Amino acid sequence: MIKRILVLSVACVSFASVVTAAPKKQTVQPAKQVILAPDQLEWKSGPAELPTSQMAVLDGDPKKSGYFAVRLKLPAGTTIAPHFHEGVERVTVISGTVKLAMGKTPDNPTVLPAGSYFALAPRTVHNAWVDKETVLQIATNGPWSLKLVDQGEKKGK
């Protein structure tokens, strides 16, 4: 009898710990409506690491946690030094062409024309450059940051 009570007690405690450890249901906020025509974009100075760039926030806030979408306009000749992002980077090439190289050097770049898409895992070191004005769209989760890394010996493109 004592053995049964002990087994039942252990079972109840085990069940209670599983129930309390179950994930809590999250409240999902409905997406706010955003409708923007190209002439309605508000272009501002881009990140400090890209001093000649311009950025337009389409949705959300790239500085805060959660979903956001921005456009990044890079003038002809822009070089983006080796860097990484703390979160997943998801990029669509809207116009122009970007040359994307993985790692710290510009070796073996992938040439991505308008309509191309790439997604990189967090902390993936990469670098890029454009020969003509290029617009990229970044749509992912924030907060977003661009962290430069030591370039070591620079090589030509």
Side-chain angles (χ1 to χ4, degrees):
M1 178 70 142
I2 293 178
K3 191 174 183 180
R4 280 188 185 181
I5 293 173
L6 184 60
V7 169
L8 281 173
S9 297
V10 169
C12 288
V13 169
S14 297
F15 178 74
S17 64
V18 168
V19 170
T20 57
K24 293 186 168 103
K25 189 173 183 179
Q26 292 182 349
T27 305
V28 177
Q29 296 295 324
K32 69 177 184 174
Q33 180 171 303
V34 177
I35 301 172
L36 293 170
D39 63 347
Q40 295 173 312
L41 299 182
E42 292 184 42
W43 292 99
K44 298 180 179 179
S45 295
E49 297 83 3
L50 301 171
T52 60
S53 70
Q54 291 183 305
M55 183 182 280
V57 176
L58 306 175
D59 194 5
D61 184 343
K63 295 176 184 170
K64 294 182 180 176
S65 184
Y67 175 81
F68 74 90
V70 298
R71 296 248 172 109
L72 189 61
K73 189 184 294 185
L74 305 170
T78 298
T79 298
I80 305 173
H83 67 282
F84 65 89
H85 307 279
E86 291 294 341
V88 175
E89 183 177 44
R90 296 176 176 95
V91 179
T92 301
V93 181
I94 300 296
S95 65
T97 301
V98 66
K99 294 174 183 163
L100 175 69
M102 305 313 292
K104 294 181 181 180
T105 65
D107 300 332
N108 302 313
T110 300
V111 178
L112 300 164
S116 298
Y117 173 82
F118 64 91
L120 302 176
R123 301 188 65 81
T124 300
V125 176
H126 57 289
N127 64 92
W129 62 96
V130 302
D131 295 325
K132 62 182 180 179
E133 182 179 272
T134 298
V135 177
L136 306 176
Q137 181 164 304
I138 303 167
T140 193
N141 290 308
W144 184 80
S145 63
L146 187 151
K147 299 193 177 186
L148 298 176
V149 297
D150 177 29
Q151 297 178 37
E153 185 179 318
K154 272 194 162 183
K155 294 184 180 182
K157 292 179 228 163

Coordinates of all heavy atoms in Angstrom, one line a residue, residues 3 46 54 84 100:
K3 N 3.8 1.5 -1.0 CA 4.6 1.5 -2.3 C 3.7 2.1 -3.4 O 4.1 2.9 -4.2 CB 4.9 0.1 -2.7 CG 5.9 0.0 -3.8 CD 6.3 -1.4 -4.1 CE 7.3 -1.5 -5.2 NZ 7.8 -2.8 -5.5
G46 N 22.2 55.8 -44.3 CA 22.3 54.4 -43.9 C 23.2 54.2 -42.7 O 23.6 55.2 -42.0
Q54 N 22.0 54.9 -48.3 CA 20.8 55.5 -47.8 C 19.9 54.3 -47.4 O 20.0 53.2 -48.0 CB 20.1 56.3 -48.8 CG 20.8 57.6 -49.1 CD 20.0 58.4 -50.1 OE1 19.7 58.0 -51.2 NE2 19.7 59.7 -49.7
F84 N 29.7 40.8 -40.1 CA 28.7 39.7 -39.8 C 27.5 40.4 -39.1 O 27.6 41.6 -38.8 CB 29.3 38.6 -39.0 CG 29.7 39.0 -37.6 CD1 28.8 39.0 -36.5 CD2 31.0 39.4 -37.4 CE1 29.2 39.4 -35.3 CE2 31.4 39.8 -36.1 CZ 30.5 39.8 -35.1
L100 N 28.9 39.2 -53.9 CA 28.9 38.7 -52.5 C 30.0 37.7 -52.3 O 30.0 36.7 -53.0 CB 27.5 38.1 -52.1 CG 27.4 37.5 -50.7 CD1 27.5 38.5 -49.7 CD2 26.1 36.7 -50.6

